[in-house]
């Protein structure tokens, strides 16, 4: 297979949703139907293991939540799929934002009974800002749900996103019987599998089948025909160009838990989903078909193999061919780096990756020379659009619980900070070397403390600080010095030396911006950071 064929068979996507919309379940079912696992909740050939493949960390398994993004790579029908599973909880949204930068499109899950929820809105805005194509899956149709036409209207009003209904549900809740596929005219009836662990058996019929009223009832058959006619009158048709620029979303219905509609979604986005897309850089658009290698680091993870205290940098390959052992140029450090020990991932499981192509995600074992946002090239001095740090809303000082654990505490905290789960700030005027940790959500602090204890044997104490928001500040030295003297805020620095102002409330931030018009107050760190 030639280079361009390898690129075109890649599909790199993320799954986004509000918490409890069924994202981890959908991930498992895509793996099930893609043949990557034999039973949802278990890695192939691993007996009596029913945990989700994507939730590999101990705290995820204990609490039943996803706290870190996971890479799952597998082959299906001649395609190479790079599935980026993201945390659903809003406290870990910054990890999700970074991961979205590595995706070519996203699958947006919506709870059919609740409609568009706040975290879904936030995540969709990130996709819209970056013009990432979105496929929508209305989940949990086997439970009481909103009317499908009502859901279409809500998506358009709340998100400003037009949807093309690729299939249409027959009933909902206990009466949910299957899906009408508009492209083929087939009706897919599903038989439930106990627990949804195995792929559902499917019976296919058509709208003209004389047995249809007997299968879904005369009223059900009549309602289906009326709704399909209303869809036709709405006039929205599938347009690949509109899908590619993110202004039209193919819409699917189903139930991930009971396997209704997952196969239809998977087969459809293989055809409709875009192959690897061009990437914006300081040197202009980088095309995936370009011969020179380029990639960027969108995530780092420590202790995936706790026996070796490893560090993994996750690269999104953007152009050229990646080969094991090749040398690349790091635009940040301006130094060459040997790309050795590359890995491809399936949750925590890993295999050697001798080569990779644009769209692929590669994990590199390294000793600390790679950071989130680094651009790697074959030699050209360019940088991909920076990965921003977002404004934290929770602050605290973390300390070793006892002097005896000070050494593993410091070592563990340094390693965990490289992952970017929390941001670190330093007060140059304060006594001691205690770092101020800043997080988007308070659960991030709990995860850091849990991992320090479980992975490094270091108990810690957290002193919460009374600040509610932060802004990166830049401008003339005089006004900056005056700002630092204010009693209504606290000026600190991030680890790269940029000034960060911490405020107790939004009013204080607004007042500071009005009082010092020469200064720029930003909710995100500088992109050249």
């Amino acid at each position: 297979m030639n280079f361009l064929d390898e690129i075109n068979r890649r599909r790199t996507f993320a799954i986004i949703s509000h918490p409890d919309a069924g994202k981890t379940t959908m991930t498992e079912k895509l793996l099930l139907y893609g043949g990557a696992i034999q039973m949802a909740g278990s890695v192939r050939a691993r007996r009596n293991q029913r945990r989700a493949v994507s939730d590999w960390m101990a705290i995820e398994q204990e609490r039943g939540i996803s706290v870190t993004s996971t890479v799952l790579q597998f082959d299906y029908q001649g395609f190479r799929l790079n599935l980026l599973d993201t945390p659903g909880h809003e406290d870990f949204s910054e990890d999700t934002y970074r991961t979205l930068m590595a995706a070519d499109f996203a699958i947006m899950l919506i709870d059919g009974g609740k409609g568009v929820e706040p975290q879904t809105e936030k995540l969709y805005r990130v996709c819209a800002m970056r013009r990432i194509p979105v496929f929508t899956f209305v989940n949990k149709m086997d439970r009481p749900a909103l009317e499908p036409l009502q859901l279409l209207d809500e998506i358009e009003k709340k998100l400003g996103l037009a949807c093309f209904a690729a299939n249409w549900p027959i009933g909902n809740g206990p009466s949910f019987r299957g899906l009408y596929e508009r492209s083929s005219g087939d009706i897919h009836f599903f038989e439930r599998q106990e627990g949804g662990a195995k792929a559902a058996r499917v019976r296919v019929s058509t709208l003209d089948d004389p047995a249809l009223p007997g299968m879904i009832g005369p009223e059900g058959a009549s309602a289906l025909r009326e709704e399909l006619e209303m869809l036709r009158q709405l006039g929205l048709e599938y347009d690949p160009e509109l899908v590619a620029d993110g202004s039209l979303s193919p819409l699917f219905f189903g139930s991930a838990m009971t396997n209704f509609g997952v196969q239809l979604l998977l087969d459809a986005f293989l055809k409709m989903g875009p192959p690897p897309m061009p990437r914006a850089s300081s040197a202009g658009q980088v095309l995936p078909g370009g011969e020179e290698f380029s990639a960027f680091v969108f995530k780092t993870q420590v202790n995936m193999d706790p026996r070796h205290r490893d560090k993994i940098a996750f690269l999104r390959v953007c152009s050229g061919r990646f080969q094991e052992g090749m040398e690349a140029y790091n635009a940040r450090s301006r130094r060459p780096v040997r790309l050795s020990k590359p890995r491809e991932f399936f949750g925590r499981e890993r295999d050697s990756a001798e080569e990779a192509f644009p769209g692929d995600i590669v994990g590199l074992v390294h000793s600390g020379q790679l950071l989130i946002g680094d651009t790697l090239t074959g030699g050209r001095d360019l940088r991909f659009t920076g990965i921003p740090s977002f404004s934290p809303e929770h602050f605290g000082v973390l300390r070793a619980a006892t002097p005896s654990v000070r050494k593993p505490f410091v070592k563990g905290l340094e390693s965990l900070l490289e992952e970017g789960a929390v941001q670190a700030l330093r007060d140059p005027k304060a006594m001691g070397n205690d770092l101020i940790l800043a997080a988007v959500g308070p659960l991030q602090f709990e995860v850091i403390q849990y991992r320090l204890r479980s992975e490094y044997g270091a108990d810690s104490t957290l002193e919460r600080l009374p600040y509610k928001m932060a802004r990166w500040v830049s401008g003339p030295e005089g006004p900056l010095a005056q700002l630092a003297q204010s009693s209504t805020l606290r000026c600190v620095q991030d680890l790269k030396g940029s000034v960060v102002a911490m405020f107790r409330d939004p009013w204080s931030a607004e007042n500071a911006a009005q009082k010092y018009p020469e200064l720029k107050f930003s909710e995100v760190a500088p992109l050249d950071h």
Side-chain angles (χ1 to χ4, degrees):
M1 191 175 292
N2 66 38
F3 180 61
L4 292 179
D5 287 339
E6 287 286 1
I7 296 174
N8 289 328
R9 77 183 190 95
R10 261 64 185 174
R11 295 292 183 271
T12 303
F13 63 100
I15 303 178
I16 60 174
S17 76
H18 191 84
D20 299 322
K23 185 171 55 59
T24 297
T25 302
M26 172 58 79
T27 298
E28 293 293 308
K29 298 310 173 69
L30 288 172
L31 298 176
L32 173 68
Y33 278 93
I37 59 177
Q38 293 177 339
M39 183 174 291
S42 66
V43 179
R44 178 183 294 179
R46 294 199 168 227
R47 297 179 181 176
N48 301 321
Q49 185 172 342
R50 293 299 304 272
R51 297 191 183 105
V53 176
S54 55
D55 290 343
W56 57 269
M57 292 178 65
I59 189 172
E60 294 178 309
Q61 295 168 358
E62 286 182 16
R63 298 197 181 189
I65 58 173
S66 299
V67 304
T68 186
S69 297
T70 305
V71 179
L72 300 152
Q73 296 167 306
F74 59 101
D75 292 306
Y76 174 68
Q77 291 189 358
F79 289 86
R80 164 50 65 99
L81 304 184
N82 292 277
L83 193 167
L84 304 170
D85 184 49
T86 61
H89 199 291
E90 62 182 353
D91 285 12
F92 304 100
S93 55
E94 192 161 357
D95 191 24
T96 299
Y97 297 153
R98 295 193 199 104
T99 301
L100 280 171
M101 296 191 69
D104 292 308
F105 65 97
I107 296 175
M108 178 172 65
L109 258 62
I110 292 176
D111 186 319
K114 298 177 181 177
V116 179
E117 298 177 88
Q119 182 66 0
T120 308
E121 269 192 87
K122 291 180 182 179
L123 294 170
Y124 172 72
R125 299 300 174 203
V126 176
C127 293
M129 180 177 62
R130 300 190 56 79
R131 302 185 75 82
I132 297 173
V134 171
F135 287 67
T136 303
F137 185 86
V138 178
N139 195 21
K140 303 185 181 181
M141 290 301 295
D142 59 320
R143 302 180 186 180
L146 302 174
E147 290 297 322
L149 288 169
Q150 181 183 349
L151 284 163
L152 255 71
D153 185 59
E154 183 174 316
I155 293 169
E156 184 165 2
K157 287 181 176 177
K158 283 192 174 183
L159 304 181
L161 177 64
C163 289
F164 163 73
N167 61 33
W168 199 250
I170 302 172
N172 76 66
S175 65
F176 180 50
R177 298 297 308 281
L179 297 163
Y180 174 80
E181 189 177 22
R182 296 181 69 195
S183 61
S184 66
D186 290 336
I187 296 176
H188 297 258
F189 290 98
F190 295 90
E191 297 180 18
R192 298 172 186 259
Q193 294 293 312
E194 185 176 353
K198 296 183 178 180
R201 293 186 293 272
V202 181
R203 291 185 293 123
V204 179
S205 182
T206 66
L207 202 60
D208 298 326
D209 189 339
L212 182 63
M215 290 186 280
I216 65 175
E219 292 183 0
S222 177
L224 175 60
R225 289 189 174 90
E226 289 178 7
E227 290 173 353
L228 293 176
E229 176 58 25
M230 292 178 69
L231 275 181
R232 190 189 66 79
Q233 293 179 9
L234 286 175
L236 275 178
E237 298 295 335
Y238 170 66
D239 186 326
E241 292 185 4
L242 295 180
V243 172
D245 73 11
S247 58
L248 179 68
S249 176
L251 177 72
F252 301 82
F253 292 85
S255 165
M257 181 63 71
T258 54
N259 302 334
F260 286 177
V262 177
Q263 180 84 59
L264 295 177
L265 171 68
L266 177 58
D267 290 345
F269 76 64
L270 292 180
K271 300 174 185 176
M272 298 180 181
M277 306 283 278
R279 297 276 155 172
S281 79
S282 59
Q285 291 279 84
V286 174
L287 301 178
E291 293 185 2
E292 184 181 9
F293 168 76
S294 67
F296 65 89
V297 179
F298 68 93
K299 175 182 174 62
T300 63
Q301 188 78 47
V302 301
N303 301 337
M304 290 191 76
D305 183 352
R307 295 170 299 177
H308 298 101
R309 292 272 187 255
D310 60 348
K311 294 182 179 181
I312 305 291
F314 289 90
L315 309 181
R316 155 70 194 233
V317 181
C318 300
S319 66
R321 185 193 303 256
F322 171 93
Q323 292 181 306
E324 181 179 9
M326 69 185 295
E327 189 174 89
Y329 172 76
N330 187 330
R332 173 186 56 82
S333 65
R334 298 186 179 277
R335 294 179 178 178
V337 56
R338 180 72 62 182
L339 306 185
S340 58
K341 299 181 181 179
R343 300 289 184 265
E344 58 182 26
F345 285 84
F346 190 76
R348 195 176 200 159
E349 305 296 314
R350 63 182 79 181
D351 290 312
S352 296
E354 295 181 359
E355 65 177 359
F357 297 88
D360 281 337
I361 307 298
V362 177
L364 285 178
V365 180
H366 68 106
S367 58
Q369 69 269 41
L370 295 175
L371 301 176
I372 292 173
D374 279 359
T375 294
L376 302 175
T377 72
R380 191 157 53 128
D381 191 8
L382 65 84
R383 294 194 180 199
F384 289 107
T385 303
I387 299 179
S389 295
F390 291 83
S391 177
E393 299 177 4
H394 301 269
F395 304 84
V397 177
L398 197 64
R399 300 184 177 93
T402 62
S404 63
V405 300
R406 174 70 183 172
K407 188 174 181 179
F409 170 85
V410 171
K411 180 180 179 181
L413 187 57
E414 286 179 353
S415 293
L416 295 177
L417 285 175
E418 289 181 17
E419 295 183 355
V422 296
Q423 299 170 43
L425 307 173
R426 195 184 301 278
D427 189 341
K429 297 181 295 184
M431 298 291 290
N433 295 316
D434 291 332
L435 292 176
I436 298 171
L437 300 189
V440 173
L443 192 54
Q444 290 174 302
F445 292 139
E446 292 185 40
V447 171
I448 288 287
Q449 289 186 278
Y450 179 98
R451 293 184 64 189
L452 283 170
R453 181 172 61 254
S454 64
E455 297 174 22
Y456 297 91
D459 285 323
S460 59
T461 61
L462 178 69
E463 176 192 352
R464 296 295 294 269
L465 300 178
Y467 302 102
K468 302 298 182 185
M469 60 191 304
R471 294 291 184 267
W472 278 265
V473 189
S474 58
E477 290 187 9
L480 277 174
Q482 295 176 27
L483 179 73
Q485 301 302 316
S486 174
S487 60
T488 61
L489 56 90
R490 183 175 178 182
C491 274
V492 294
Q493 294 178 354
D494 65 18
L495 296 188
K496 295 185 178 179
S498 294
V499 176
V500 180
M502 301 189 299
F503 299 94
R504 293 175 183 265
D505 50 57
W507 179 86
S508 300
E510 293 174 8
N511 186 55
Q514 292 175 1
K515 188 174 181 180
Y516 300 99
E518 311 96 324
L519 301 178
K520 180 182 178 181
F521 295 80
S522 176
E523 294 186 32
V524 297
L527 291 181
D528 58 352
H529 212 39

